[in-house]
Amino acid sequence: MTASQAIAASATASPADRLIMLGVQLPPAPPPVANFVTHVREGDMLYLSGQGPREADGRLWTGKVGEGVSVSQAYQHARLVGINLLAVMQEALGDLSRVKRVVKLLGMVNASPDFEDHPQVINGCSDLFIDVFGEAGHHARSAVGFGSLPGNITVEIEAIVALRS
């Protein structure tokens, strides 16, 4: 049984337990890179600023998907972005169990002009959120291509999350 299958079978596991099952340790939340905050809480909603594929040591994955960066590499970059978004949620909430539902993701891919597989790239983040939050991880989503992203990063993703009262 794979980790994802074990997690699916354990519907009552907490997000923290699911992260352990996945072998994911959350890094510190990445700091903002410009004049903005990483998140804003408004009522029972949490709005997360776009995050990039930043490793815990600060290294960023860069390049154009479809020109030197494969779909499978970019999928892993999107998964890493998901981990960074989870780190921001953890910092903002103190406990990922406070997430009621992942409502919406906006996934941006630094893509070559003829690239067509944006959804497969952003699945890296979507799949992770479903593994971590179960049914509450299913979300609405947009996956779009851009001619460039800040710092030439491969992927940027922002999220909207509903919180438990």
Side-chain angles (χ1 to χ4, degrees):
M1 179 181 293
T2 68
S4 292
Q5 290 168 326
I7 291 166
S10 177
T12 60
S14 72
D17 291 338
R18 290 168 176 247
L19 284 169
I20 290 168
M21 287 186 249
L22 289 166
V24 173
Q25 184 174 9
L26 295 181
V33 298
N35 188 15
F36 64 92
V37 294
T38 58
H39 63 279
V40 171
R41 182 171 177 183
E42 183 62 34
D44 289 339
M45 300 298 289
L46 184 66
Y47 299 85
L48 296 136
S49 296
Q51 290 289 330
R54 180 181 300 277
E55 296 285 356
D57 65 6
R59 178 175 179 238
L60 284 167
W61 290 98
T62 61
K64 266 215 195 293
V65 183
E67 286 178 10
V69 178
S70 70
V71 171
S72 62
Q73 289 170 315
Y75 174 96
Q76 291 302 319
H77 299 169
R79 185 177 190 280
L80 177 58
V81 173
I83 291 169
N84 290 328
L85 287 166
L86 290 170
V88 172
M89 285 182 224
Q90 177 68 32
E91 182 179 273
L93 303 172
D95 181 356
L96 293 176
S97 293
R98 295 188 59 205
V99 172
K100 180 178 177 183
R101 174 169 198 116
V102 178
V103 177
K104 174 102 167 64
L105 297 182
L106 170 59
M108 298 160 271
V109 180
N110 184 3
S112 64
D114 60 344
F115 187 73
E116 299 178 349
D117 294 326
H118 308 82
Q120 287 69 31
V121 170
I122 303 304
N123 279 348
C125 183
S126 294
D127 293 348
L128 175 68
F129 281 9
I130 292 164
D131 284 346
V132 171
F133 295 112
E135 195 59 35
H138 288 276
H139 50 269
R141 184 182 87 180
S142 299
V144 295
F146 284 76
S148 68
L149 289 174
N152 198 36
I153 57 175
T154 54
V155 180
E156 181 174 347
I157 303 172
E158 62 181 47
I160 301 170
V161 179
L163 306 176
R164 296 185 195 290
S165 299

